[in-house]
Amino acid sequence: MKNPFHVMIIPTLGCPGRCKYCWSSDEKSPRMTLDTIDEIVRWLKPLRDQRVTFTFHGGEPLLAGAEFYRTALRKISEELAHLTPEFAIQTNLWLMTDELAEIFAEYHVPIGSSIDGPKELTNYQRGNEYFERCLAGYKIAADHGLLVRFICTFTNSSVKQKEEIVNFFKEQGWVMKLHPALPSLKGENPNAWTLSPEEYGELLVYLLDEAVEHPGEIEIMNINDLCRCVFTRAGSVCTYADCMGTTFAIGPDGEIYPCYRFIGMPEWVMGHVRDAPRIESLMESHAGKRMLAFKEFVDTACKDCAHISYCRGGCPYNAIAPTGGSLEGVDPHCTAYKRIFDEITGRLNAEMNAPPAAMRVSRVKRKQQPSVTALIKKIIDE
């Protein structure tokens, strides 16, 4: 279970990559100073009874440089020790160095990066030499004992190669985390790469089959999270969680937003860390009220849905991006979420109600037959 309070720190929206479907890069973006880190510390110091995860995101957060992280991680660790801070970073790894890797290893910072599949496919979607440069940084990180996991973005193009992509992750022995390509409030052609809800739903069912049938060959974080949602009846990760008032993003200049996806949009500024605003006052801002309006909308629009307690209407950003910022519905991937939640629930119920012989452990192989029940047990045990 991830910590319930999450602060995303965005040192810059700048990025040396030119991924075709990316909406979070801005060449003109400023870079965060260490003065802003001091202000973040002062802002959060009054918190009590919280465990906080700090995720460095971007743009490309490694542009901030080694000295930034050496100082920022030390200050947060020491001055906010009462919050038991944990760290993470999302980076394309191009700028990874031995010095940076040593700093991240000291503070046990897990790394998220992005590989969309085999080299040709990744470079087609993310730009020439992306794959090679990312793997060069991965080797440095791995040599220093850092945990690196890759997000695989499925687009309306790459989803047609899902078998090849899954086999690639199996061959590499990597845990897979997937993102569907999403529309943006920033892009001029926001749907050029977008994965449709119907395609996404079918992809999730395919990946559920892979996770169930090949438990020793591939681990798919999203499938684990979805199964955990159904089993615990509560959302525990981004998209399937009530994030209002517990997740905030700090832009390069210290402005506070509901999430990193809103960074750079003035109408979504909730406050500034230099003012050390109370959490309550952030939620009373115009942007905060717009987020709470989504929560209220879900309570009504989804009240008859069997999955409301652990889906919560999906992501509020996804809900407003297709309409230019106005709230007219829930996350458009609702179709996909219902598809996979129904699939997991249906299989789990069928397995639990099956005759004992159908769930019996083979005395010869000493191995449980592939099932959602077996996958959930594995998730719980770990």
PDB file of all heavy atoms in Angstrom, residues 67-84:
ATOM      1  N   GLU A  67      23.771  18.295  -7.550  1.00  0.00           N
ATOM      2  CA  GLU A  67      23.804  19.104  -6.334  1.00  0.00           C
ATOM      3  C   GLU A  67      22.394  19.381  -5.825  1.00  0.00           C
ATOM      4  O   GLU A  67      22.158  19.421  -4.609  1.00  0.00           O
ATOM      5  CB  GLU A  67      24.534  20.417  -6.584  1.00  0.00           C
ATOM      6  CG  GLU A  67      24.801  21.241  -5.324  1.00  0.00           C
ATOM      7  CD  GLU A  67      25.534  20.444  -4.249  1.00  0.00           C
ATOM      8  OE1 GLU A  67      26.444  19.648  -4.592  1.00  0.00           O
ATOM      9  OE2 GLU A  67      25.182  20.594  -3.050  1.00  0.00           O
ATOM     10  N   PHE A  68      21.457  19.573  -6.752  1.00  0.00           N
ATOM     11  CA  PHE A  68      20.058  19.786  -6.358  1.00  0.00           C
ATOM     12  C   PHE A  68      19.567  18.594  -5.553  1.00  0.00           C
ATOM     13  O   PHE A  68      18.983  18.749  -4.466  1.00  0.00           O
ATOM     14  CB  PHE A  68      19.194  19.994  -7.598  1.00  0.00           C
ATOM     15  CG  PHE A  68      17.719  20.100  -7.311  1.00  0.00           C
ATOM     16  CD1 PHE A  68      17.145  21.312  -6.989  1.00  0.00           C
ATOM     17  CD2 PHE A  68      16.899  18.971  -7.373  1.00  0.00           C
ATOM     18  CE1 PHE A  68      15.777  21.413  -6.725  1.00  0.00           C
ATOM     19  CE2 PHE A  68      15.538  19.058  -7.109  1.00  0.00           C
ATOM     20  CZ  PHE A  68      14.978  20.282  -6.784  1.00  0.00           C
ATOM     21  N   TYR A  69      19.802  17.380  -6.046  1.00  0.00           N
ATOM     22  CA  TYR A  69      19.284  16.193  -5.357  1.00  0.00           C
ATOM     23  C   TYR A  69      20.054  15.882  -4.087  1.00  0.00           C
ATOM     24  O   TYR A  69      19.468  15.449  -3.090  1.00  0.00           O
ATOM     25  CB  TYR A  69      19.283  14.993  -6.314  1.00  0.00           C
ATOM     26  CG  TYR A  69      18.183  15.121  -7.331  1.00  0.00           C
ATOM     27  CD1 TYR A  69      18.458  15.519  -8.641  1.00  0.00           C
ATOM     28  CD2 TYR A  69      16.861  14.906  -6.973  1.00  0.00           C
ATOM     29  CE1 TYR A  69      17.437  15.674  -9.567  1.00  0.00           C
ATOM     30  CE2 TYR A  69      15.833  15.068  -7.890  1.00  0.00           C
ATOM     31  CZ  TYR A  69      16.127  15.453  -9.180  1.00  0.00           C
ATOM     32  OH  TYR A  69      15.111  15.627 -10.074  1.00  0.00           O
ATOM     33  N   ARG A  70      21.343  16.133  -4.100  1.00  0.00           N
ATOM     34  CA  ARG A  70      22.127  15.907  -2.884  1.00  0.00           C
ATOM     35  C   ARG A  70      21.588  16.759  -1.738  1.00  0.00           C
ATOM     36  O   ARG A  70      21.425  16.281  -0.599  1.00  0.00           O
ATOM     37  CB  ARG A  70      23.599  16.231  -3.135  1.00  0.00           C
ATOM     38  CG  ARG A  70      24.491  15.997  -1.907  1.00  0.00           C
ATOM     39  CD  ARG A  70      25.943  16.331  -2.194  1.00  0.00           C
ATOM     40  NE  ARG A  70      26.545  15.352  -3.093  1.00  0.00           N
ATOM     41  CZ  ARG A  70      26.870  15.585  -4.364  1.00  0.00           C
ATOM     42  NH1 ARG A  70      26.635  16.790  -4.894  1.00  0.00           N
ATOM     43  NH2 ARG A  70      27.416  14.644  -5.100  1.00  0.00           N
ATOM     44  N   THR A  71      21.255  17.995  -2.037  1.00  0.00           N
ATOM     45  CA  THR A  71      20.764  18.909  -1.008  1.00  0.00           C
ATOM     46  C   THR A  71      19.283  18.670  -0.709  1.00  0.00           C
ATOM     47  O   THR A  71      18.877  18.636   0.462  1.00  0.00           O
ATOM     48  CB  THR A  71      20.980  20.367  -1.451  1.00  0.00           C
ATOM     49  OG1 THR A  71      22.372  20.584  -1.726  1.00  0.00           O
ATOM     50  CG2 THR A  71      20.538  21.332  -0.368  1.00  0.00           C
ATOM     51  N   ALA A  72      18.467  18.525  -1.750  1.00  0.00           N
ATOM     52  CA  ALA A  72      17.029  18.373  -1.553  1.00  0.00           C
ATOM     53  C   ALA A  72      16.687  17.110  -0.766  1.00  0.00           C
ATOM     54  O   ALA A  72      15.885  17.153   0.180  1.00  0.00           O
ATOM     55  CB  ALA A  72      16.322  18.344  -2.908  1.00  0.00           C
ATOM     56  N   LEU A  73      17.305  16.002  -1.104  1.00  0.00           N
ATOM     57  CA  LEU A  73      17.017  14.750  -0.405  1.00  0.00           C
ATOM     58  C   LEU A  73      17.470  14.810   1.050  1.00  0.00           C
ATOM     59  O   LEU A  73      16.793  14.298   1.942  1.00  0.00           O
ATOM     60  CB  LEU A  73      17.685  13.583  -1.137  1.00  0.00           C
ATOM     61  CG  LEU A  73      17.087  13.257  -2.512  1.00  0.00           C
ATOM     62  CD1 LEU A  73      17.966  12.261  -3.262  1.00  0.00           C
ATOM     63  CD2 LEU A  73      15.674  12.705  -2.381  1.00  0.00           C
ATOM     64  N   ARG A  74      18.603  15.455   1.278  1.00  0.00           N
ATOM     65  CA  ARG A  74      19.084  15.583   2.663  1.00  0.00           C
ATOM     66  C   ARG A  74      18.146  16.454   3.478  1.00  0.00           C
ATOM     67  O   ARG A  74      17.764  16.089   4.604  1.00  0.00           O
ATOM     68  CB  ARG A  74      20.500  16.169   2.673  1.00  0.00           C
ATOM     69  CG  ARG A  74      21.047  16.414   4.096  1.00  0.00           C
ATOM     70  CD  ARG A  74      22.403  17.069   4.080  1.00  0.00           C
ATOM     71  NE  ARG A  74      22.424  18.321   3.346  1.00  0.00           N
ATOM     72  CZ  ARG A  74      21.976  19.489   3.811  1.00  0.00           C
ATOM     73  NH1 ARG A  74      21.426  19.541   5.031  1.00  0.00           N
ATOM     74  NH2 ARG A  74      22.039  20.576   3.079  1.00  0.00           N
ATOM     75  N   LYS A  75      17.756  17.604   2.945  1.00  0.00           N
ATOM     76  CA  LYS A  75      16.893  18.519   3.696  1.00  0.00           C
ATOM     77  C   LYS A  75      15.544  17.889   4.010  1.00  0.00           C
ATOM     78  O   LYS A  75      15.039  17.981   5.142  1.00  0.00           O
ATOM     79  CB  LYS A  75      16.692  19.818   2.904  1.00  0.00           C
ATOM     80  CG  LYS A  75      17.904  20.729   2.912  1.00  0.00           C
ATOM     81  CD  LYS A  75      17.595  22.062   2.257  1.00  0.00           C
ATOM     82  CE  LYS A  75      18.780  23.008   2.404  1.00  0.00           C
ATOM     83  NZ  LYS A  75      18.477  24.353   1.873  1.00  0.00           N
ATOM     84  N   ILE A  76      14.938  17.244   3.014  1.00  0.00           N
ATOM     85  CA  ILE A  76      13.635  16.625   3.243  1.00  0.00           C
ATOM     86  C   ILE A  76      13.756  15.494   4.249  1.00  0.00           C
ATOM     87  O   ILE A  76      12.930  15.351   5.164  1.00  0.00           O
ATOM     88  CB  ILE A  76      13.044  16.133   1.908  1.00  0.00           C
ATOM     89  CG1 ILE A  76      12.719  17.322   1.002  1.00  0.00           C
ATOM     90  CG2 ILE A  76      11.790  15.288   2.154  1.00  0.00           C
ATOM     91  CD1 ILE A  76      12.328  16.941  -0.411  1.00  0.00           C
ATOM     92  N   SER A  77      14.790  14.676   4.123  1.00  0.00           N
ATOM     93  CA  SER A  77      14.982  13.540   5.034  1.00  0.00           C
ATOM     94  C   SER A  77      15.195  13.981   6.468  1.00  0.00           C
ATOM     95  O   SER A  77      14.635  13.398   7.402  1.00  0.00           O
ATOM     96  CB  SER A  77      16.175  12.691   4.575  1.00  0.00           C
ATOM     97  OG  SER A  77      15.919  12.092   3.340  1.00  0.00           O
ATOM     98  N   GLU A  78      16.009  15.020   6.646  1.00  0.00           N
ATOM     99  CA  GLU A  78      16.363  15.455   7.994  1.00  0.00           C
ATOM    100  C   GLU A  78      15.284  16.339   8.619  1.00  0.00           C
ATOM    101  O   GLU A  78      14.900  16.133   9.779  1.00  0.00           O
ATOM    102  CB  GLU A  78      17.698  16.200   7.966  1.00  0.00           C
ATOM    103  CG  GLU A  78      18.887  15.303   7.606  1.00  0.00           C
ATOM    104  CD  GLU A  78      20.195  16.073   7.527  1.00  0.00           C
ATOM    105  OE1 GLU A  78      20.165  17.323   7.703  1.00  0.00           O
ATOM    106  OE2 GLU A  78      21.235  15.437   7.278  1.00  0.00           O
ATOM    107  N   GLU A  79      14.789  17.321   7.871  1.00  0.00           N
ATOM    108  CA  GLU A  79      13.880  18.303   8.450  1.00  0.00           C
ATOM    109  C   GLU A  79      12.419  17.833   8.491  1.00  0.00           C
ATOM    110  O   GLU A  79      11.601  18.398   9.221  1.00  0.00           O
ATOM    111  CB  GLU A  79      14.002  19.619   7.689  1.00  0.00           C
ATOM    112  CG  GLU A  79      15.415  20.220   7.782  1.00  0.00           C
ATOM    113  CD  GLU A  79      15.520  21.581   7.126  1.00  0.00           C
ATOM    114  OE1 GLU A  79      14.573  22.379   7.290  1.00  0.00           O
ATOM    115  OE2 GLU A  79      16.541  21.837   6.465  1.00  0.00           O
ATOM    116  N   LEU A  80      12.109  16.805   7.705  1.00  0.00           N
ATOM    117  CA  LEU A  80      10.754  16.247   7.732  1.00  0.00           C
ATOM    118  C   LEU A  80      10.793  14.788   8.166  1.00  0.00           C
ATOM    119  O   LEU A  80       9.936  13.980   7.770  1.00  0.00           O
ATOM    120  CB  LEU A  80      10.100  16.372   6.348  1.00  0.00           C
ATOM    121  CG  LEU A  80       9.886  17.799   5.829  1.00  0.00           C
ATOM    122  CD1 LEU A  80       9.273  17.782   4.433  1.00  0.00           C
ATOM    123  CD2 LEU A  80       9.008  18.612   6.783  1.00  0.00           C
ATOM    124  N   ALA A  81      11.739  14.457   9.025  1.00  0.00           N
ATOM    125  CA  ALA A  81      11.891  13.067   9.470  1.00  0.00           C
ATOM    126  C   ALA A  81      10.626  12.550  10.138  1.00  0.00           C
ATOM    127  O   ALA A  81      10.328  11.341  10.077  1.00  0.00           O
ATOM    128  CB  ALA A  81      13.082  12.953  10.422  1.00  0.00           C
ATOM    129  N   HIS A  82       9.863  13.442  10.780  1.00  0.00           N
ATOM    130  CA  HIS A  82       8.644  13.007  11.472  1.00  0.00           C
ATOM    131  C   HIS A  82       7.568  12.528  10.497  1.00  0.00           C
ATOM    132  O   HIS A  82       6.600  11.887  10.911  1.00  0.00           O
ATOM    133  CB  HIS A  82       8.095  14.145  12.338  1.00  0.00           C
ATOM    134  CG  HIS A  82       7.647  15.348  11.563  1.00  0.00           C
ATOM    135  ND1 HIS A  82       8.528  16.200  10.926  1.00  0.00           N
ATOM    136  CD2 HIS A  82       6.405  15.856  11.330  1.00  0.00           C
ATOM    137  CE1 HIS A  82       7.855  17.172  10.330  1.00  0.00           C
ATOM    138  NE2 HIS A  82       6.558  16.983  10.562  1.00  0.00           N
ATOM    139  N   LEU A  83       7.740  12.814   9.182  1.00  0.00           N
ATOM    140  CA  LEU A  83       6.792  12.365   8.165  1.00  0.00           C
ATOM    141  C   LEU A  83       7.251  11.067   7.493  1.00  0.00           C
ATOM    142  O   LEU A  83       6.608  10.597   6.556  1.00  0.00           O
ATOM    143  CB  LEU A  83       6.602  13.450   7.103  1.00  0.00           C
ATOM    144  CG  LEU A  83       6.101  14.814   7.608  1.00  0.00           C
ATOM    145  CD1 LEU A  83       5.958  15.799   6.462  1.00  0.00           C
ATOM    146  CD2 LEU A  83       4.767  14.654   8.337  1.00  0.00           C
ATOM    147  N   THR A  84       8.353  10.511   7.995  1.00  0.00           N
ATOM    148  CA  THR A  84       8.922   9.277   7.441  1.00  0.00           C
ATOM    149  C   THR A  84       8.949   9.352   5.917  1.00  0.00           C
ATOM    150  O   THR A  84       8.343   8.523   5.216  1.00  0.00           O
ATOM    151  CB  THR A  84       8.119   8.029   7.887  1.00  0.00           C
ATOM    152  OG1 THR A  84       7.730   8.166   9.250  1.00  0.00           O
ATOM    153  CG2 THR A  84       8.945   6.766   7.723  1.00  0.00           C
TER     154      THR A  84
END
